[in-house]
Amino acid sequence: MNSSLSGSGYVLGHSDPEVQRLENQARFVADLTDDILRRAGLAPGMRVLDLGCGTGDVSFLAASLVGPGGSVLGIDQASGVIEKARERAHRAGLGHVRFQVASVADFDLGEPVDAIIGRLILLHLPDPVATLRRLAEQAGTGTLFVFHEMDMSTARSLPESPLCAQGLHWIKETFRRAGVETDMGSKLYSTFRRAGLPGPRMLLSARFEGGPDSFAYQYLTEVLRTLLPLAERFGIANADAVGIDTFAERLRDEVVALDGVMQPPAFIGAWTRVA
Ligand SMILES: C[S@@+](CC[C@H](N)C(=O)[O-])C[C@H]1O[C@@H](n2cnc3c(N)ncnc32)[C@H](O)[C@@H]1O
């Protein structure tokens, strides 16, 4: 943690555009997360806890795997996203998914669970080892732990687009200065072990896309848009140089002119059971 923000809040916030960005991102990587949850062994009838659920996308993936005979509880510290997650569950008629405002760091398992899962939550925690250890101590033997986290160092374009490289630099540097663990995915093995969990099985997967219709240009731009005020505050980038309103279009044009491909950050899934 090296930032003025450490411990004082969640760096991305929950503005309307950021909440929309989270849902766009969730659609972009839904199949990757679904694959990890299935490989890890989420199955009908299981009771699941989803940490840092946001507006509920991972909870909904879990809900479809555990079916109406199972249950999912999603928790998040932000009441606005929990409200939205509840509305989405209601609209989808998902009676077996509940949401609760709670902090991950001091959450107590009030009821037995079969699996504790989370996507893009550990990177935001000041002490992910302590959080996992606490939950592992409360969870029964055999409880599954399944986490899906990014490794931002894997993001690139091929051949390299200078605008893509610049955008990625602004994003990673801003996250880093804000105290976010940008390579959490590659630290999952040691994080699980240090929390007293058995070494997890793991899988790395990433989108890899070219052509004018890829969502990858907008994906990178939306993250940059959310982080821009902070990047300016840290003196990492200024709005004029970034030109956020035309960034996605310029990035797409540059990559397409190179006949190139975009590789957004890879996600690493890790899963194990409490011994
Ligand atoms: C990047 S979002 C991921 C949301 C969702 N898991 C997904 O993948 O779509 C991270 C979420 O974690 C929540 N969060 C961050 N720190 C938290 C904490 N200490 N306790 C509970 N929620 C937290 C934020 O409010 C945010 O909604």
Side-chain angles (χ1 to χ4, degrees):
M1 298 294 120
N2 56 357
S3 125
S4 54
L5 283 186
S6 297
S8 69
Y10 170 60
V11 61
L12 293 164
H14 291 103
S15 63
D16 288 348
E18 170 55 18
V19 168
Q20 184 58 57
R21 184 196 74 77
L22 264 189
E23 289 177 19
N24 293 344
Q25 170 178 264
R27 264 194 304 281
F28 196 44
V29 301
D31 55 343
L32 308 185
T33 302
D34 183 66
D35 180 45
I36 295 299
L37 296 178
R38 286 174 191 273
R39 285 173 189 268
L42 252 69
M46 288 174 79
R47 299 156 298 183
V48 178
L49 171 66
D50 177 20
L51 305 181
C53 62
T55 57
D57 287 284
V58 174
S59 302
F60 298 139
L61 288 176
S64 83
L65 294 176
V66 302
S71 64
V72 181
L73 172 64
I75 65 166
D76 200 290
Q77 65 187 5
S79 56
V81 289
I82 288 294
E83 204 46 53
K84 185 131 198 261
R86 284 182 181 141
E87 281 166 23
R88 293 176 84 195
H90 181 70
R91 271 203 307 277
L94 293 172
H96 60 307
V97 188
R98 289 171 299 133
F99 293 100
Q100 184 181 324
V101 178
S103 162
V104 164
D106 53 17
F107 184 76
D108 285 321
L109 298 182
E111 51 198 64
V113 294
D114 302 301
I116 298 178
I117 69 174
R119 180 177 70 193
L120 297 177
I121 175 63
L122 299 180
L123 80 168
H124 293 293
L125 301 181
D127 192 347
V129 170
T131 296
L132 290 191
R133 186 187 299 118
R134 214 172 153 272
L135 289 166
E137 283 168 0
Q138 293 180 31
T141 303
T143 305
L144 259 178
F145 275 65
V146 193
F147 286 86
H148 208 201
E149 296 281 340
M150 273 181 190
D151 188 325
M152 296 187 203
S153 72
T154 58
R156 59 185 181 157
S157 54
L158 281 172
E160 185 175 272
S161 135
L163 192 58
C164 180
Q166 178 65 80
L168 289 171
H169 169 75
W170 284 328
I171 289 170
K172 284 186 287 189
E173 192 54 19
T174 306
F175 271 133
R176 195 187 64 74
R177 287 281 298 280
V180 172
E181 177 48 78
T182 56
D183 297 332
M184 188 66 227
S186 57
K187 300 196 167 142
L188 285 171
Y189 190 84
S190 60
T191 301
F192 274 47
R193 297 272 300 146
R194 286 165 58 211
L197 288 161
R201 294 189 63 193
M202 291 175 291
L203 184 73
L204 177 148
S205 47
R207 302 236 86 86
F208 198 64
E209 304 188 343
D213 299 327
S214 169
F215 177 69
Y217 317 115
Q218 190 184 328
Y219 182 44
L220 191 152
T221 305
E222 288 181 352
V223 180
L224 190 53
R225 187 185 290 279
T226 294
L227 290 177
L228 190 50
L230 203 52
E232 288 205 276
R233 219 170 92 198
F234 288 147
I236 291 166
N238 74 70
D240 288 343
V242 173
I244 197 68
D245 291 334
T246 59
F247 195 90
E249 197 182 323
R250 285 181 290 126
L251 178 59
R252 181 199 61 204
D253 290 350
E254 202 170 285
V255 173
V256 169
L258 290 164
D259 217 4
V261 287
M262 293 281 290
Q263 180 182 316
F267 276 70
I268 297 168
W271 62 95
T272 193
R273 286 182 188 273
V274 176

